[in-house]
Amino acid sequence: MSEIETLFGLLRQSADADVVDLFERMVREAPDHALNRMNALDLAREAKLDEERVIAGLLHGVQLGMLEMTWAVMCPSCAGVLSANKSLKTLTSPQYHCAFCAAGYDTSLDNLVEVTFTVSPRLRKIAAHNPDSLSVPEYYRQVFWSSAIDLPADLDKAMRELTLETVDLPPGERAILSLNVPEGTIIVFEPVTHTAQFLEVKGEEAAERQNLSLIFSKAETHVDAVSLRPGPLRLTLDNRTDGRVLPAVWVANQALDALLSRRKPALTAKRLLTNQTFRDLYRTDTLAIGQRLKILSLTFLFSDLKDSTQLYENVGDLVAFDLVNEHFRLLQEIIASERGAVVKTIGDAVMATFETPDRAIAAAIRMREAMSDLGAERQRQGLLLKMGIHEGSCLAVTLNGQQDYFGQTVNIASRVQGLAASRSIVVTEQVVENADARTLLEAGGLTPTRKSVALSGIADKVSVYEIP
């Protein structure tokens, strides 16, 4: 049996069979670019497979060395990759700047960081393993642009509609271009060093040839736009890096706008951190000690067994231990199925995260019913959960050796759970104001009851809602 057959055999032991079949077919038949920076959500959509199963399968593939995972900081405007990282641990800059868009962004894990998967050379060697072998259009497709942009199959043709010239310039070399620049905005962009020079072309047509020289180096520079007149231009490009550069002269026209507006969903770092398979596999190896990464919106659910101390006293340690373990199993199963993840357990309590509030509410409702069913099955009618949900910003951190979260949002979610009694689910105003959450509650015929409460450590009273 070959190494590849052995690896796929191991993958079948931990991943969904349909996902493994898809991956195996791709390794055998797909073009090179399809195996580079794979978009898990796009794969699931095209194959009509469950997204969470596809993500889990790819993660297990990474664990077996069949795939390589990339955490890419991407510009939300042009979808260009600003920084490609093999781990979140190297995501240390508080801000990232896109030269192409002339815009800067504070680092957050919500929509700025995507996670993609590339086939390992041990399974199949592809052109992207050696980026210097890629043509200019394929470099843009496979290296510069993120998986969130829906590029046309004939990218070469699309790029010809918006570029005046492209150059593949070896290290230490110089190129001299003779161009006729039209009125409007021209961008001389280089994707390897991610540098750009904007040319504002306006006024009467130049009678004599204009001259402009640009130097490409590894030093990060921010330069002002250059004013030119329409007409002939002599453009000198000097590569002072130790690798090739790929400068292109872009025209900011409708074709460029149309290309950059083609988008598709991508797997964000925030979503991956709320994936149960990821947490199980990377519980202690996600962030560096002391590293703090901002998340602008994350939903926290806290649950606790009501009167668990009394339960131990009534039924004894062995029976209670079995019940509590079964309760944990059911909760994790439901949380994972709603695209959430258990962050940790504290005694009989659970702390979980979800990408959006509606997923947390859906999980809470199912968890409540599951506990009622478990109580009835075990003749323990008093087996009830107290649950609280809150949404807001937080920091992803490492605490006690595992990936965790820190901030006021976490504190409020924990305190809101303490307000719950009996079968009620207590949520904050931010949660019920979410459009998808409102739709979910209306569809279930559930009308939350509002009340204003004081929470320990919070200066002002907080509006909370009890879901019956």
Side-chain angles (χ1 to χ4, degrees):
M1 182 181 292
S2 68
E3 182 189 20
I4 294 178
E5 291 173 325
T6 300
L7 288 171
F8 275 109
L10 292 171
L11 185 58
R12 290 184 189 281
Q13 296 176 19
S14 55
D16 180 83
D18 290 337
V19 174
V20 179
D21 288 343
L22 170 65
F23 183 30
E24 194 168 13
R25 284 196 304 274
M26 291 181 66
V27 170
R28 289 198 312 265
E29 304 168 5
D32 277 10
H33 69 80
L35 293 166
N36 181 51
R37 293 194 180 176
M38 291 182 279
N39 180 330
L41 306 190
D42 204 38
L43 286 180
R45 178 187 59 82
E46 291 186 350
K48 295 181 172 58
L49 295 173
D50 177 73
E51 290 179 354
E52 294 300 293
R53 292 184 179 183
V54 171
I55 294 169
L58 295 173
L59 289 171
H60 284 293
V62 173
Q63 286 288 294
L64 291 170
M66 303 169 73
L67 290 163
E68 298 169 351
M69 187 160 53
T70 300
W71 305 75
V73 180
M74 60 180 181
C75 173
S77 180
C78 71
V81 173
L82 309 180
S83 172
N85 305 269
K86 294 300 182 184
S87 166
L88 270 181
K89 292 180 179 180
T90 58
L91 207 69
T92 55
S93 176
Q95 286 188 324
Y96 286 86
H97 182 266
C98 178
F100 186 83
C101 299
Y105 307 96
D106 291 337
T107 304
S108 72
L109 300 183
D110 298 70
N111 296 307
L112 198 70
V113 181
E114 69 160 6
V115 185
T116 56
F117 303 85
T118 298
V119 69
S120 168
R122 68 191 298 191
L123 283 190
R124 174 174 153 183
K125 291 184 179 180
I126 59 174
H129 291 148
N130 178 21
D132 284 346
S133 69
L134 296 172
S135 66
V136 173
E138 284 305 311
Y139 188 93
Y140 274 96
R141 182 195 301 277
Q142 299 191 52
V143 180
F144 173 70
W145 270 313
S146 74
S147 71
I149 189 165
D150 188 13
L151 296 172
D154 192 351
L155 182 58
D156 193 7
K157 177 183 177 182
M159 290 182 64
R160 285 198 298 270
E161 295 177 2
L162 49 89
T163 54
L164 297 179
E165 188 69 79
T166 59
V167 182
D168 190 334
L169 195 58
E173 295 291 323
R174 173 181 295 173
I176 301 174
L177 307 180
S178 293
L179 305 170
N180 194 57
V181 291
E183 187 171 8
T185 299
I186 304 296
I187 310 170
V188 184
F189 181 66
E190 202 295 295
V192 181
T193 57
H194 208 288
T195 55
Q197 174 64 65
F198 284 77
L199 312 178
E200 298 299 337
V201 184
K202 57 187 177 181
E204 295 183 7
E205 186 165 341
E208 297 180 354
R209 185 175 299 279
Q210 304 164 100
N211 292 281
L212 179 65
S213 296
L214 299 178
I215 295 172
F216 301 106
S217 67
K218 289 187 175 181
E220 186 174 331
T221 58
H222 301 290
V223 293
D224 295 330
V226 172
S227 295
L228 294 174
R229 292 162 63 186
L233 170 66
R234 176 188 172 96
L235 180 62
T236 302
L237 305 173
D238 196 352
N239 180 7
R240 295 188 184 175
T241 74
D242 55 4
R244 74 165 180 166
V245 294
L246 304 170
V249 184
W250 298 71
V251 180
N253 56 16
Q254 290 185 344
L256 178 59
D257 292 340
L259 180 65
L260 297 182
S261 67
R262 297 168 59 109
R263 299 302 172 88
K264 56 188 175 182
L267 177 61
T268 64
K270 181 178 86 168
R271 176 165 177 183
L272 191 59
L273 292 183
T274 64
N275 176 275
Q276 190 63 57
T277 301
F278 177 80
R279 285 202 64 92
D280 291 343
L281 295 177
Y282 294 91
R283 186 175 299 275
T284 61
D285 192 34
T286 304
L287 302 174
I289 301 297
Q291 186 180 14
R292 299 168 295 175
L293 291 173
K294 184 187 299 182
I295 297 177
L296 300 178
S297 171
L298 195 63
T299 302
F300 291 86
L301 181 153
F302 280 81
S303 75
D304 196 11
L305 272 175
K306 185 176 185 294
D307 299 330
S308 59
T309 302
Q310 189 67 39
L311 174 68
Y312 279 84
E313 187 172 318
N314 290 343
V315 302
D317 289 347
L318 287 176
V319 175
F321 180 77
D322 179 55
L323 272 171
V324 170
N325 271 356
E326 181 62 9
H327 136 272
F328 280 135
R329 187 193 69 79
L330 288 171
L331 295 198
Q332 178 162 317
E333 183 179 282
I334 292 169
I335 289 166
S337 70
E338 293 293 344
R339 286 181 15 192
V342 174
V343 177
K344 58 187 173 185
T345 59
I346 311 157
D348 301 326
V350 168
M351 172 185 173
T353 55
F354 297 83
E355 190 179 14
T356 54
D358 58 304
R359 293 282 182 175
I361 290 178
I365 293 170
R366 290 177 57 193
M367 288 159 62
R368 179 167 65 182
E369 295 307 314
M371 288 305 98
S372 294
D373 292 344
L374 179 61
E377 176 189 321
R378 304 289 180 92
Q379 287 80 50
R380 302 295 166 196
Q381 300 299 327
L383 202 60
L384 300 174
L385 279 182
K386 300 190 298 179
M387 288 181 280
I389 303 172
H390 180 50
E391 176 272 336
S393 62
C394 63
L395 296 175
V397 298
T398 293
L399 290 175
N400 299 319
Q402 67 176 8
Q403 194 262 308
D404 206 335
Y405 300 93
F406 178 83
Q408 190 73 311
T409 298
V410 183
N411 297 334
I412 292 175
S414 176
R415 287 166 173 74
V416 166
Q417 181 272 320
L419 301 173
S422 186
R423 284 170 49 85
S424 66
I425 302 165
V426 179
V427 305
T428 58
E429 193 167 24
Q430 290 92 325
V431 173
V432 295
E433 284 183 348
N434 176 268
D436 291 332
R438 285 200 305 270
T439 300
L440 176 69
L441 292 171
E442 290 169 3
L446 299 171
T447 304
T449 304
R450 180 186 177 277
K451 59 182 177 180
S452 183
V453 299
L455 297 178
S456 175
I458 310 297
D460 299 324
K461 283 194 171 184
V462 175
S463 293
V464 298
Y465 293 77
E466 187 174 357
I467 299 174

